[in-house]
């Protein structure tokens, strides 16, 4: 009898194991098999905590000043300075941090900040031209070789966070919609009405998306934009709130994004956002995400810090120097706030598993260019949205209209059903997130 009970128990265990395996979500190939076996803490890799030895930083960072008082930090366009990272800075230097999120570089002056974080190359040029950042880097602080911004000498690189279309993988799969494989796919009938974009006129993230569109389409930018049917939101936070996986984004991330609301989600499974959004929408294992950056839509962006005055305050100088050091770089990677500019420190972190960056961390910042050209692209975007191309349909064509269609109906997939004749699939569209099998 005892042998029979043992065989029954083993059979039950095998059956239970099979069931759990069938329901487990897929994870990144570089993620640990058991992310809970060796908990990750800022400044320490999973391999190091498991006894394999960890890598060390390669940047010869300056020693940050010690002192007291509060450093006010403006965070541009979804840039993050997580609480745990700020606490590490306070522990190392004695300075405390207060953050002020802003959606675009035009709002930096109103933040009355000591330091600006999250500038990309275009932001740095614009801020430098407007005089909202200093005309020189802090004493003894220089940016990493290959990251200097001509025309913005105060900009010091500390990370990378490309702007991409981020897809809700579960929604796209459940509704039988293909993930875009090229930038042109964004205007295809099955995809074109599924996209939420922060307003390029006021959002650094939205502006970067228009730059990438201009890069990929050239003189065809206007035609491409006319073929889109995006929802355009006033802020990055509002665009994330319209994303079908918006309620999966951590409150900590949303607290540093302008216009965001905790637990908000909408009807749009594609959203233009920084890669770090994928890390902020991690599953409960921390090794996979509800969001996937679509690599063919990404524009490479180096993240820069800059003091707002010269000479910089002691606290500002201290923070900029500290961000280049190993502890800060590792903390940014562990939290997924940014891919570290010191790329060796990304191993075994959310940044490595979820942000989709491969190869060297230091690349050419693709946002840098003529401010006049940027203004021309933004004007083309606005005028093209105001006169969209008619959607293909099997029904008689409606009367022509010149009204903007920047905010389509709440059910974008149903809007495009006539374009494919696939009414059965369009009825499957739902604004609720289809969660991965657990």
């Amino acid at each position: 009898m005892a042998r029979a009970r043992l065989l029954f128990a083993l059979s039950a265990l095998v059956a239970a194991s099979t069931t759990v395996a069938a329901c487990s979500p897929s994870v990144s190939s570089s993620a640990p098999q058991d992310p809970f076996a060796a908990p990750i803490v800022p400044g320490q890799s999973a391999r190091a905590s498991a006894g394999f030895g960890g890598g060390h930083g390669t940047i010869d960072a300056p020693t940050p000043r010690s002192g007291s008082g509060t450093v006010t930090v403006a965070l541009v366009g979804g840039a993050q300075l997580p609480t745990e990272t700020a606490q590490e800075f306070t522990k190392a230097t004695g300075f405390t941090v207060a953050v002020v999120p802003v959606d675009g570089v035009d709002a930096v002056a109103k933040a009355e900040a000591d330091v600006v974080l999250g500038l990309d190359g275009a932001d740095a040029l614009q801020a430098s031209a407007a005089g909202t950042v200093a005309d020189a880097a802090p004493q003894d602080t220089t940016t990493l070789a290959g990251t200097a911004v001509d025309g913005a000498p105060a900009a010091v690189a500390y990370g990378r966070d490309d702007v991409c279309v981020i897809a809700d993988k579960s929604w796209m799969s459940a509704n039988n919609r293909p993930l875009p494989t090229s930038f042109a796919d964004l205007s295809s009938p099955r995809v074109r009405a599924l996209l939420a974009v922060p307003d390029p006129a006021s959002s650094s993230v939205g502006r970067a998306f228009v730059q990438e569109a201009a890069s990929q389409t050239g003189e065809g930018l206007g035609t491409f934009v006319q073929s889109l049917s995006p929802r355009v939101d006033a802020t990055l936070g509002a665009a994330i709130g319209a994303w079908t996986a918006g309620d999966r984004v951590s409150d900590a991330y949303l607290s540093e994004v302008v216009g965001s609301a905790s637990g908000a989600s909408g009807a749009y499974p594609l959203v233009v956002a920084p890669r770090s959004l994928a890390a902020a929408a991690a599953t409960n294992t921390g090794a996979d995400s509800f969001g996937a950056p679509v690599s063919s839509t990404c524009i490479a962006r180096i993240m820069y810090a800059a003091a707002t005055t010269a000479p910089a305050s002691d606290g500002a100088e201290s923070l900029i120097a500290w961000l280049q050091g190993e502890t800060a770089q590792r903390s940014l990677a562990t939290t997924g706030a940014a891919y570290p500019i010191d790329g060796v420190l990304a191993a075994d972190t959310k940044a490595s598993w979820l942000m989709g960056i491969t190869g060297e961390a230091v690349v050419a910042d693709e946002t840098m260019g003529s401010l006049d050209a940027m203004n021309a692209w933004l004007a083309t975007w606005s005028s093209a949205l105001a006169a969209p191309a008619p959607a293909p349909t099997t029904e008689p064509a409606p009367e022509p209209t010149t009204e903007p269609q920047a905010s389509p109906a709440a059910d974008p997939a149903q809007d495009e059903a006539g374009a494919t004749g696939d009414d059965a699939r369009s009825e499957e569209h739902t604004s609720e997130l289809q969660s991965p099998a657990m």
Side-chain angles (χ1 to χ4, degrees):
M1 178 65 80
R3 178 179 177 80
R5 285 197 297 268
L6 177 60
L7 290 174
F8 177 80
L10 289 173
S11 298
L13 180 60
V14 170
S17 299
T18 302
T19 300
V20 170
C23 295
S24 298
S26 61
V27 298
S28 168
S29 60
S30 62
Q33 292 183 348
D34 181 2
F36 300 105
I40 298 172
V41 296
Q44 182 181 27
S45 73
R47 294 185 186 277
S49 61
F52 293 103
H56 295 285
T58 61
I59 297 177
D60 185 17
T63 301
R65 293 174 179 263
S66 296
S68 60
T70 299
V71 184
T72 301
V73 180
L75 299 175
V76 178
Q80 300 284 299
L81 186 64
T83 299
E84 50 266 61
T85 306
Q87 289 173 342
E88 289 281 343
F89 170 65
T90 299
K91 180 180 177 181
T93 67
F95 294 102
T96 58
V97 170
V99 300
V100 182
V102 296
D103 209 42
V105 72
D106 287 340
V108 167
K110 297 179 182 178
E112 298 183 349
D114 302 300
V115 180
V116 185
L117 298 187
L119 298 166
D120 60 23
D123 287 332
L125 287 170
Q126 186 176 344
S128 186
T132 51
V133 297
D135 56 7
Q139 183 179 358
D140 301 326
T141 302
T142 57
T143 195
L144 192 65
T147 65
V149 180
D150 291 338
V156 178
Y158 70 90
R160 178 178 166 190
D161 198 3
D162 306 342
V163 164
C164 310
V165 171
I166 312 293
D168 177 353
K169 297 185 295 184
S170 296
W171 191 98
M172 298 294 283
S173 175
N175 289 274
N176 197 27
R177 297 300 173 105
L179 284 174
T181 58
S182 68
F183 206 85
D185 283 352
L186 296 177
S187 61
S188 67
R190 297 282 286 166
V191 174
R192 64 190 298 271
L194 306 181
L195 181 66
V197 182
D199 188 355
S202 56
S203 165
S204 289
V205 170
R207 181 264 306 149
F209 175 73
V210 172
Q211 285 184 277
E212 179 63 6
S215 174
Q216 297 222 20
T217 62
E219 294 183 359
L221 175 63
T223 301
F224 170 77
V225 175
Q226 284 183 316
S227 68
L228 292 177
S229 183
R231 171 191 172 108
V232 179
D233 287 286
T235 64
L236 173 61
I240 294 173
W243 190 38
T244 50
D247 58 349
R248 301 292 185 174
V249 181
S250 71
D251 288 345
Y253 182 92
L254 293 174
S255 70
E256 296 184 340
V257 177
V258 173
S260 63
S262 176
S265 62
Y268 292 77
L270 304 175
V271 63
V272 172
R275 285 185 186 265
S276 54
L277 178 64
T283 63
N284 58 4
T285 68
D288 196 16
S289 175
F290 291 93
V294 180
S295 60
S296 60
T297 67
C298 297
I299 182 169
R301 297 193 314 159
I302 300 297
M303 296 286 93
Y304 293 92
T308 57
T309 61
S313 67
D314 287 351
E317 182 175 330
S318 181
L319 178 59
I320 293 172
W322 184 80
L323 283 170
Q324 293 184 297
E326 184 173 336
T327 299
Q329 291 282 292
R330 187 66 188 177
S331 181
L332 292 170
T334 300
T335 58
Y339 197 90
I341 201 71
D342 196 346
V344 300
L345 296 174
D348 306 312
T349 67
K350 279 186 176 181
S352 174
W353 301 334
L354 305 179
M355 291 181 69
I357 291 176
T358 58
E360 296 296 324
V362 177
V363 294
D365 185 307
E366 295 176 344
T367 69
M368 285 190 280
S370 164
L371 295 179
D372 289 339
M374 188 190 326
N375 290 334
W377 293 332
L378 292 174
T380 298
W381 165 274
S382 297
S383 60
L385 280 185
T393 177
T394 57
E395 299 296 327
E399 291 295 321
T401 177
T402 58
E403 290 298 318
Q405 295 184 5
S407 298
D411 191 342
Q414 191 168 353
D415 286 350
E416 292 296 320
T420 63
D422 195 352
D423 292 335
R425 282 184 183 145
S426 71
E427 290 171 358
E428 294 175 3
H429 175 73
T430 174
S431 63
E432 296 178 358
L433 171 68
Q434 303 290 330
S435 301
M438 301 301 291

